[in-house]
Amino acid sequence: MTRHFRNIILVLLAGYGTACEKILMDEDPANSPLSNFEILWNNMDSKYALFPYKNIDWDSIYNVYRPMISNEMHDTSLFRILGGMLLELRDAHTDISSPYGEIHFDYSAGSESNFNREILNITYLAGSGYDIKEGIAYTKFRDVGYMFIPSFAVEKSDATVREILDYFNDVEGIIIDVRQNAGGKDLYAKIIANHFFDKKRKVEVRHYKTGNAHDDFGIIDHFIEPERSLKISKPTVVLTNRRCYSACNTFVCWMSMLPHVLVAGDTTGGGGGTPFYSELPNGWVYRYSSNVTFRPDGLNIDNGIPPDALVYLTGRDEWEDKDTLIEFAIEYIHSQAE
Amino acid sequence: MRSLTVSLLLISFCVTQAQGDSLRFSAGTGWNYNVILDEAVSPMLYKGHGYSFQASMENTKKNHFGRLSLIYQRARIQPGMKNESMESLYRGQLDWICVFRVKTASGLPVIHIGGHFLTSFHITGHEQWANNDFSHSFAFSLGPSLMVDIPLFRKNENLQLAWEFSFPLVDYVVRPGISSTLSEGTIKMGKSGTLATITGGRLTSIHEYQRLLSRMHLDWKITTNICLRIEYQWDYQQYNVNNAFKSANHMICTSVSFRLDKK
């Protein structure tokens, strides 16, 4: 009897962890169209950071889209409806992807391209013996150093940036062309930007969610400190267009804080909120803007950053194989050198 | 200065522990299985297994038992659905348990009651997600502990079974903010950095953090001072701070321990 009692105790002790776990841990949520819709809507409701600035009633969005969902519907229909709901936010950092594709907001639709890659290649790069390192095409022409950075998704190292800026040692000024740059990692943007900072400066103010309500925020100031030895104080022009988004937008925000930097071109595309990933029970992955970024002067950079000098690529210049923005930047740098 | 203070505390603790009747050091390795729910990243349970390392120091007196143990675990976890989500889980514990014997009648389980200071961390890394590729949870807890020595094998004194259970009541927890990889303290204080992360946690209790820690081990004495230990640990933790985070961890570990007699 005693032995049986002991054996029962042993079995109970060994099994109670698993048993308690069954009680304490929830099961996976149901993988049904209704469940997927509810999870997406609720998660966006509590975590999406831009509601106070979008002038969108998220509850009314629920009332519009919820009746479209039924558990009998096909996945492709569900995907279109969920994608459509997210498109209401008009935010390219908020999208959804599935085996049927990806639905995201086109932030530059209908705007001037302000960029002609063929002219850049023929007139400015090919004739000047350019080089490419870590996705940065760079060269020198007419006493100006030129860097074309089409993406911040490609890894950038401090050594390479230093090497390029050393190569620009004898020029009057520098052009940083970030047109068409749809973003990547802020870290890579920072590796370039901090070579241009003369002292520690406040570059952005970020509002992070602290609660589930739409206006629950905590604030953190972000600073950039200068790179140790090489500091660029030459006149610098940053060329932008509407395709400049996300990490590129952030880069322009930082650079616009510097007195020796002029931002020229068009207003950037925006994308100031850090995109966070999450997923649904059916395996589809979605992103949403998880915070709001302001420039220290109060500008919400999610709507883009207006340039210091508004410059458009003209048809006449295109006809003559010239890039109006680059020509403007060269003239500006020469005028500053005088 | 801070690291010096911590070092002094650890040294003084070790000296205190070393004053027992016997001191046992053990080290081992094993396997772990995890079920994780982190609502910051997914509504789905992530499950998976990995390996564990463990080292501990036990101090046994006639009516008192104390143990300082360190566990480090690593695992790969993924949800049970069709996508490419995969996380690396790093978790660990530094636990101190101190219990006193309350019942000593021969032939019956020997019960010890006391308290604990438990610390634990979870760090998950999501490989495909660029901006929220990691999440963290730290907890420091105080509460009661129960330990029972069960004389299952009376005829064989070389085999001993013990079970212990801890239930924290007062906790200090550090969790990320809602939809952020930064800690909530960092956001609330408007400062970034390690110090802000650590000091920005919240002092709380069972309404926001629950933990059930249960261990069971079987010792097989090989020589007078060396024994082989097989241990099973079930550790359940639940944070209701910002995004809900639940973790159930099962660990099976084999270790070798060396006893130093003080008398």
Side-chain angles (χ1 to χ4, degrees):
Chain A
M1 185 64 190
T2 312
R3 181 180 291 173
H4 286 309
F5 179 66
R6 285 170 186 158
N7 289 343
I8 288 167
I9 289 177
L10 185 61
V11 170
L12 285 176
L13 290 180
Y16 89 105
T18 312
C20 287
E21 200 171 299
K22 292 269 183 203
I23 297 166
L24 296 166
M25 297 289 275
D26 303 322
E27 294 285 318
D28 278 334
N31 177 18
S32 66
L34 271 174
S35 167
N36 284 301
F37 173 83
E38 292 287 346
I39 287 170
L40 177 62
W41 188 90
N42 280 307
N43 207 38
M44 292 295 294
D45 186 44
S46 60
K47 293 177 181 166
Y48 184 68
L50 287 163
F51 282 126
Y53 310 98
K54 289 283 183 183
N55 200 23
I56 284 175
D57 182 351
W58 193 237
D59 290 330
S60 70
I61 296 287
Y62 181 93
N63 294 333
V64 170
Y65 284 87
R66 171 63 186 80
M68 300 180 197
I69 307 290
S70 74
N71 278 340
E72 290 72 38
M73 70 195 306
H74 192 267
D75 272 357
T76 51
S77 304
L78 177 68
F79 183 56
R80 276 199 302 271
I81 292 169
L82 296 186
M85 184 170 78
L86 296 182
L87 281 177
E88 299 276 4
L89 296 166
R90 303 179 61 80
D91 180 351
H93 273 163
T94 301
D95 50 34
I96 186 166
S97 58
S98 77
Y100 308 107
E102 187 178 320
I103 296 175
H104 60 86
F105 177 67
D106 184 356
Y107 59 90
S108 63
S111 57
E112 291 287 329
S113 157
N114 242 11
F115 180 76
N116 187 319
R117 181 69 200 238
E118 202 178 332
I119 291 174
L120 176 64
N121 284 342
I122 293 170
T123 309
Y124 301 96
L125 294 179
S128 59
Y130 73 101
D131 202 352
I132 298 178
K133 282 196 173 129
E134 294 178 354
I136 304 172
Y138 64 98
T139 186
K140 289 190 282 194
F141 45 75
R142 290 151 65 182
D143 285 333
V144 168
Y146 175 82
M147 301 162 77
F148 177 56
I149 310 170
S151 171
F152 286 118
V154 180
E155 185 173 353
K156 311 275 184 281
S157 68
D158 191 59
T160 297
V161 176
R162 191 176 288 267
E163 188 185 327
I164 293 170
L165 294 176
D166 275 341
Y167 174 66
F168 291 159
N169 196 30
D170 57 350
V171 297
E172 291 181 0
I174 295 170
I175 299 171
I176 304 176
D177 192 344
V178 290
R179 288 175 294 174
Q180 305 299 100
N181 185 326
K185 286 195 168 183
D186 284 2
L187 172 67
Y188 302 150
K190 195 172 180 181
I191 284 171
I192 296 168
N194 63 10
H195 285 279
F196 292 83
F197 276 69
D198 54 338
K199 61 181 182 183
K200 183 179 178 181
R201 289 174 187 269
K202 184 159 90 171
V203 290
E204 61 184 37
V205 179
R206 285 206 181 189
H207 291 209
Y208 294 88
K209 292 279 289 181
T210 54
N212 289 333
H214 290 182
D215 55 354
D216 283 344
F217 287 110
I219 297 169
I220 298 184
D221 295 335
H222 288 264
F223 297 83
I224 287 189
E225 294 189 48
E227 181 54 29
R228 277 159 293 171
S229 55
L230 186 71
K231 297 183 193 72
I232 302 295
S233 56
K234 292 175 181 178
T236 301
V237 179
V238 177
L239 300 183
T240 61
N241 67 354
R242 290 291 291 167
R243 293 290 303 169
C244 171
Y245 193 77
S246 191
C248 177
N249 189 56
T250 305
F251 175 77
V252 174
C253 171
W254 297 339
M255 295 297 283
S256 69
M257 300 303 299
L258 296 171
H260 65 285
V261 171
L262 182 88
V263 178
D266 201 353
T267 300
T268 57
T274 307
F276 253 45
Y277 288 82
S278 192
E279 60 196 358
L280 296 173
N282 59 9
W284 299 351
V285 174
Y286 63 97
R287 302 189 307 166
Y288 58 92
S289 291
S290 61
N291 51 40
V292 195
T293 307
F294 295 87
R295 210 162 58 176
D297 61 8
L299 176 77
N300 179 354
I301 70 167
D302 196 65
N303 302 320
I305 298 162
D308 300 318
L310 190 63
V311 186
Y312 288 116
L313 189 64
T314 64
R316 183 191 172 114
D317 279 346
E318 274 198 281
W319 180 255
E320 293 175 359
D321 282 344
K322 283 183 187 172
D323 186 314
T324 316
L325 284 81
I326 294 177
E327 293 298 328
F328 169 85
I330 293 169
E331 277 182 32
Y332 173 79
I333 288 168
H334 287 165
S335 70
Q336 292 295 302
E338 287 164 9
Chain B
M1 188 63 196
R2 196 173 296 115
S3 57
L4 182 65
T5 310
V6 171
S7 303
L8 285 172
L9 279 170
L10 282 173
I11 290 166
S12 60
F13 169 80
C14 291
V15 168
T16 310
Q17 290 294 296
Q19 288 171 348
D21 292 353
S22 77
L23 200 60
R24 188 189 289 266
F25 295 94
S26 69
T29 184
W31 172 87
N32 66 72
Y33 179 75
N34 301 275
V35 182
I36 302 278
L37 173 67
D38 185 355
E39 289 186 352
V41 294
S42 177
M44 307 299 287
L45 297 175
Y46 276 58
K47 299 175 182 177
H49 59 87
Y51 56 85
S52 310
F53 295 107
Q54 175 182 265
S56 68
M57 181 174 72
E58 291 178 359
N59 172 27
T60 308
K61 293 180 184 174
K62 189 178 177 184
N63 293 316
H64 163 260
F65 173 82
R67 184 180 63 225
L68 180 70
S69 65
L70 174 70
I71 295 172
Y72 172 74
Q73 301 180 333
R74 197 170 165 193
R76 303 275 286 172
I77 53 176
Q78 60 188 114
M81 60 184 184
K82 288 180 184 174
N83 71 4
E84 294 175 350
S85 285
M86 172 80 80
E87 284 190 348
S88 297
L89 169 69
Y90 306 86
R91 75 181 297 284
Q93 301 163 227
L94 180 63
D95 302 335
W96 176 51
I97 288 173
C98 179
V99 288
F100 298 90
R101 187 172 180 157
V102 295
K103 187 170 184 181
T104 57
S106 67
L108 289 174
V110 180
I111 296 171
H112 297 75
I113 291 176
H116 63 251
F117 176 65
L118 307 178
T119 66
S120 88
F121 74 85
H122 288 81
I123 294 174
T124 51
H126 204 297
E127 287 145 25
Q128 289 89 6
W129 296 355
N131 292 304
N132 51 329
D133 57 354
F134 79 97
S135 179
H136 65 270
S137 307
F138 299 92
F140 307 86
S141 316
L142 285 169
S145 289
L146 167 73
M147 192 172 93
V148 184
D149 284 331
I150 304 168
L152 275 174
F153 308 97
R154 202 185 306 162
K155 289 177 184 171
N156 188 348
E157 290 184 351
N158 291 334
L159 280 172
Q160 285 190 322
L161 180 72
W163 172 73
E164 66 181 61
F165 180 75
S166 296
F167 180 65
L169 293 176
V170 180
D171 316 286
Y172 183 79
V173 300
V174 176
R175 282 281 292 150
I178 288 176
S179 63
S180 177
T181 54
L182 297 173
S183 75
E184 61 167 351
T186 300
I187 297 168
K188 281 178 183 166
M189 291 193 285
K191 293 176 182 173
S192 55
T194 310
L195 186 62
T197 299
I198 294 169
T199 57
R202 62 172 80 184
L203 192 64
T204 185
S205 188
I206 53 174
H207 64 295
E208 287 186 317
Y209 176 72
Q210 300 104 44
R211 184 173 184 183
L212 301 172
L213 175 62
S214 168
R215 285 194 181 117
M216 189 160 43
H217 67 252
L218 186 68
D219 283 341
W220 176 35
K221 199 185 286 183
I222 299 171
T223 68
T224 310
N225 291 324
I226 298 175
C227 82
L228 187 67
R229 171 173 288 184
I230 297 173
E231 181 172 337
Y232 168 70
Q233 174 187 278
W234 177 67
D235 184 8
Y236 176 82
Q237 295 182 50
Q238 178 170 330
Y239 295 76
N240 298 325
V241 177
N242 298 329
N243 308 290
F245 179 86
K246 297 179 181 181
S247 159
N249 169 258
H250 302 263
M251 181 185 76
I252 295 172
C253 195
T254 55
S255 55
V256 178
S257 68
F258 304 89
R259 194 180 75 175
L260 298 174
D261 285 323
K262 304 299 289 183
K263 288 183 178 176

